[in-house]
């Protein structure tokens, strides 16, 4: 700023005048400072090695001796005064800053802490994990299959051919996309149209196609039905499929495994079960498994509709046509299969009145588990 002017005229009056201007400007600016860092910067601008005052002192060196003494001592005095003023201001600012930090960051260590909200596992997840652990302990391994299935795995290979009335047992979401563009591709694989799997039973086929017996598997997963929803029906729900294949598997084996499973799942060592004849195309004989009502202990209640029994799952001995569909040697293998509706189990276990709560996204519901 004034360095340019200095080059034009050197004399002590001008110099003293400049010193005054510097002092005035520094004090004015300093008075308005409220920030420590900005004040440090300002200090360097005035008092630093390349600051206004240093430039002055350098210029003063070139004055005649008398003038140099006069202006030199004035400049040095001013430097001391400004230095003191800056230091004082900085000390003040540091003090108030410290005080405001104390104000702002004061901690009352006696106050109770703020609880971090914890997440909750969905009751379906809890029961699925529980069920898996029980079956794993009995030598079953978990396998998976796709939710988008083909007609062949979901129906045909399970002995449910097209136009068979048994297909009506499963109201199906068919996928439109495969009607035109994918038709030829799917047809060449001979797997039929695509759909959302209506049960986990197709995983049986996928596993048997790629594995030789003996084996024990479970396949938990989501399934879909084209149905109207109400308190006990959803368009998507969860099943757990089971399959054991070996040379001499009997209904007695099945009964033991499934009773053991249900007793441990419901934590009731004397839980009774019964098998009722039923029909599923992929098993022969087929049956329905009931458990003695866990709500009323067979005294009769609204949950078991006064019958004393609760329907738990479909099951049966694997149909030889299913073994044939996966290419096993006829009559060589025997096995049992079952399919449990997990939502129903969860509803019974936790006394949940409406299946739609599972997907309601209502945190008040989830927080209970
Ligand atoms: N897949 C059947 C359903 O969703 C349930 C079922 C019945 C599964 C009998 C089985 C079985 O493995 O053997 O209705």
């Amino acid at each position: 700023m004034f360095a340019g002017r200095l080059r034009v005229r050197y004399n002590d009056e001008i110099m003293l005048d400049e010193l005054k201007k510097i002092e005035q400007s520094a004090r004015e600016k300093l008075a308005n400072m409220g920030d420590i860092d900005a004040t440090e910067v300002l200090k360097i601008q005035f008092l630093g090695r390349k600051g206004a005052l240093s430039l002055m002192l350098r210029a003063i060196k070139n004055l005649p001796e008398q003038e140099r003494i006069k202006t030199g001592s004035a400049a040095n005095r001013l430097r001391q005064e400004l230095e003191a003023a800056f230091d004082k201001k900085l000390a003040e600012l540091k003090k108030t800053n410290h005080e405001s930090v104390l104000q702002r960051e004061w901690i009352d260590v006696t106050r109770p802490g703020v609880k971090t909200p914890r997440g909750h596992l969905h009751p379906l997840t809890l029961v699925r994990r529980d069920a898996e652990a029980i079956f794993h302990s009995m030598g079953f391994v978990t396998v998976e299959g796709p939710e988008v299935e083909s007609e062949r795995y979901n129906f045909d290979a399970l002995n449910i051919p097209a136009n068979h009335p048994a297909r009506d047992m499963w109201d199906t979401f068919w996928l439109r996309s495969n009607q035109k563009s994918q038709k030829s591709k799917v047809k060449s694989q001979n797997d039929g149209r695509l759909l959302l799997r209506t049960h986990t039973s197709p995983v049986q086929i996928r596993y048997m196609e790629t594995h030789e017996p003996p084996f024990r598997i479970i396949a938990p997963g989501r399934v879909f039905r084209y149905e109207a929803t109400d308190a006990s029906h959803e368009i998507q729900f969860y099943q757990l499929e089971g399959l054991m294949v070996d040379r001499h598997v009997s209904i007695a084996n099945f009964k033991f495994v499934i009773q053991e499973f249900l007793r441990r799942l419901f934590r009731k060592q004397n839980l009774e079960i019964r098998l009722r004849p039923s029909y599923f195309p992929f098993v022969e004989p087929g049956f329905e498994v009931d458990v003695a009502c866990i709500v009323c202990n067979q005294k009769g209640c609204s949950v078991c509709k006064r019958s004393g029994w609760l329907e738990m799952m479909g099951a049966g001995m694997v149909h030889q046509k299913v073994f044939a569909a996966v290419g096993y040697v006829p009559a060589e293998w025997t096995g049992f299969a079952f399919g449990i509706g997990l939502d129903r189990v969860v509803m019974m276990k936790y006394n949940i009145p409406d299946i739609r709560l599972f997907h309601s996204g209502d945190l008040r519901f989830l927080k209970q588990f």
Side-chain angles (χ1 to χ4, degrees):
M1 39 179 194
F2 61 110
R5 265 188 277 156
L6 283 177
R7 228 173 284 136
V8 185
R9 32 188 165 125
Y10 287 118
N11 80 51
D12 60 341
E13 254 171 57
I14 299 281
M15 290 291 197
L16 289 173
D17 199 38
E18 282 296 340
L19 285 176
K20 252 193 213 115
K21 282 187 193 150
I22 290 175
E23 175 170 13
Q24 206 181 2
S25 154
R27 289 196 189 281
E28 240 168 56
K29 287 185 174 154
L30 192 58
N32 292 327
M33 282 286 127
D35 179 79
I36 295 175
D37 290 344
T39 310
E40 301 271 19
V41 170
L42 192 68
K43 186 178 174 186
I44 291 167
Q45 273 172 16
F46 280 98
L47 298 169
R49 243 169 19 88
K50 290 181 187 161
L53 215 54
S54 303
L55 290 177
M56 280 293 287
L57 281 164
R58 238 167 276 155
I60 285 168
K61 273 192 212 137
N62 301 327
L63 292 177
E65 191 176 355
Q66 275 309 312
E67 296 183 4
R68 193 169 70 220
I69 292 170
K70 204 160 121 200
T71 48
S73 66
N76 276 323
R77 205 178 323 114
L78 178 58
R79 183 167 53 192
Q80 278 165 14
E81 281 172 16
L82 284 184
E83 239 155 22
F86 270 102
D87 291 348
K88 188 167 160 238
K89 180 75 176 189
L90 281 166
E92 270 169 29
L93 286 176
K94 281 179 185 154
K95 188 160 169 255
T96 50
N97 186 48
H98 183 63
E99 271 160 13
S100 80
V101 167
L102 278 184
Q103 277 297 323
R104 266 184 289 121
E105 300 183 3
W106 185 78
I107 296 171
D108 180 355
V109 291
T110 64
R111 276 183 64 180
V114 183
K115 261 197 186 162
T116 322
R118 295 181 66 195
H120 296 256
L121 287 177
H122 198 284
L124 278 162
T125 306
L126 294 172
V127 167
R128 199 234 320 128
R129 285 188 182 179
D130 217 9
E132 280 190 87
I134 297 169
F135 278 115
H136 291 170
S137 79
M138 292 194 276
F140 286 74
V141 295
T142 297
V143 301
E144 284 184 334
E147 289 174 1
V148 172
E149 251 314 351
S150 70
E151 202 172 1
R152 180 172 116 69
Y153 287 100
N154 197 81
F155 290 127
D156 298 83
L158 287 162
N159 192 29
I160 318 166
N163 306 320
H164 191 286
R167 278 211 183 182
D168 293 345
M169 290 165 74
W170 297 275
D171 297 299
T172 308
F173 283 112
W174 296 95
L175 297 192
R176 194 179 288 151
S177 64
N178 59 62
Q179 277 171 356
K180 278 199 200 98
S181 55
Q182 296 195 15
K183 197 168 185 177
S184 55
K185 193 168 121 208
V186 170
K187 253 205 177 140
S188 65
Q189 292 170 349
N190 221 8
D191 284 351
R193 295 173 293 166
L194 292 179
L195 47 80
L196 297 182
R197 68 177 177 192
T198 60
H199 49 181
T200 43
S201 302
V203 187
Q204 292 186 28
I205 305 298
R206 287 186 177 273
Y207 190 82
M208 287 194 281
E209 270 185 351
T210 48
H211 297 79
E212 280 291 309
F215 57 76
R216 276 168 269 181
I217 56 161
I218 50 168
R222 184 158 43 180
V223 302
F224 308 85
R225 301 259 172 107
Y226 180 47
E227 281 177 342
T229 57
D230 62 29
S232 53
H233 294 86
E234 258 287 19
I235 58 165
Q236 59 164 12
F237 53 99
Y238 290 83
Q239 287 188 338
L240 185 135
E241 192 79 12
L243 175 67
M244 172 171 174
V245 179
D246 206 328
R247 284 191 200 280
H248 305 288
V249 178
S250 67
I251 296 178
N253 295 147
F254 169 71
K255 200 174 172 190
F256 174 81
V257 167
I258 222 62
Q259 186 171 52
E260 178 66 14
F261 163 68
L262 291 169
R263 285 180 170 179
R264 284 162 68 178
L265 189 71
F266 288 109
R267 297 189 169 59
K268 200 170 171 209
Q269 256 321 298
N270 56 355
L271 184 84
E272 286 301 325
I273 68 168
R274 73 175 183 189
L275 306 187
R276 245 180 327 110
S278 185
Y279 172 73
F280 300 97
F282 32 93
V283 282
E284 179 56 38
F287 25 80
E288 206 96 39
V289 180
D290 296 343
V291 295
C293 183
I294 53 167
V295 179
C296 67
N297 256 329
Q298 293 198 292
K299 286 185 195 75
C301 68
S302 60
V303 178
C304 62
K305 302 196 184 82
R306 321 235 159 263
S307 73
W309 295 95
L310 293 169
E311 216 175 283
M312 286 300 309
M313 71 185 87
M317 303 309 289
V318 181
H319 202 297
Q320 286 300 325
K321 279 196 175 169
V322 174
F323 286 147
V326 298
Y328 286 177
V329 177
E332 192 172 352
W333 301 106
T334 50
F336 64 71
F338 57 89
I340 310 168
L342 282 180
D343 305 66
R344 237 178 96 73
V345 173
V346 178
M347 289 169 80
M348 279 196 276
K349 198 169 160 161
Y350 295 108
N351 220 342
I352 297 164
D354 195 320
I355 191 173
R356 290 167 293 193
L357 284 165
F358 287 150
H359 304 292
S360 61
D362 189 336
L363 288 180
R364 292 169 308 175
F365 170 71
L366 290 177
K367 277 180 180 167
Q368 300 173 76
F369 302 96

